[in-house]
Amino acid sequence: MIEVFKTNVQEIDQSNMIVRKLLEHFPNSIINFDLEDCDKILRIHALSISNHKIIEVLNSYGYQCEVLL
């Protein structure tokens, strides 16, 4: 399963920290950002994904996140 999210993450350091935090919740996932994209894409590939939890984690660090349709 792959989910794609639109975020407002701007910097590589920020994205690296978020990936580390998300891996704590989804340890066997492949998580990456595409900060070159205008939507600052967050991509998560995992067997099970909780969109609510992902959005909650980013929001807790002050970032916006929404499922990209």
Side-chain angles (χ1 to χ4, degrees):
M1 166 179 266
I2 298 175
E3 282 289 349
V4 180
F5 299 86
K6 175 182 177 179
T7 74
N8 67 338
V9 175
Q10 300 293 321
E11 305 292 331
I12 292 173
D13 290 346
Q14 297 167 334
S15 67
N16 289 338
M17 180 273 296
I18 292 167
V19 168
R20 284 193 303 275
K21 296 300 179 185
L22 288 172
L23 284 170
E24 292 175 10
H25 297 280
F26 305 97
N28 296 317
S29 304
I30 298 170
I31 303 173
N32 59 54
F33 276 89
D34 180 358
L35 299 180
E36 300 294 318
D37 188 276
C38 66
D39 288 326
K40 309 301 182 196
I41 299 295
L42 166 63
R43 221 177 258 104
I44 301 180
H45 183 253
L47 292 176
S48 175
I49 297 174
S50 168
N51 292 348
H52 176 75
K53 186 64 178 175
I54 292 162
I55 293 168
E56 183 180 279
V57 169
L58 268 83
N59 289 171
S60 74
Y61 289 97
Y63 298 104
Q64 297 171 354
C65 180
E66 61 186 71
V67 175
L68 192 63
L69 302 175

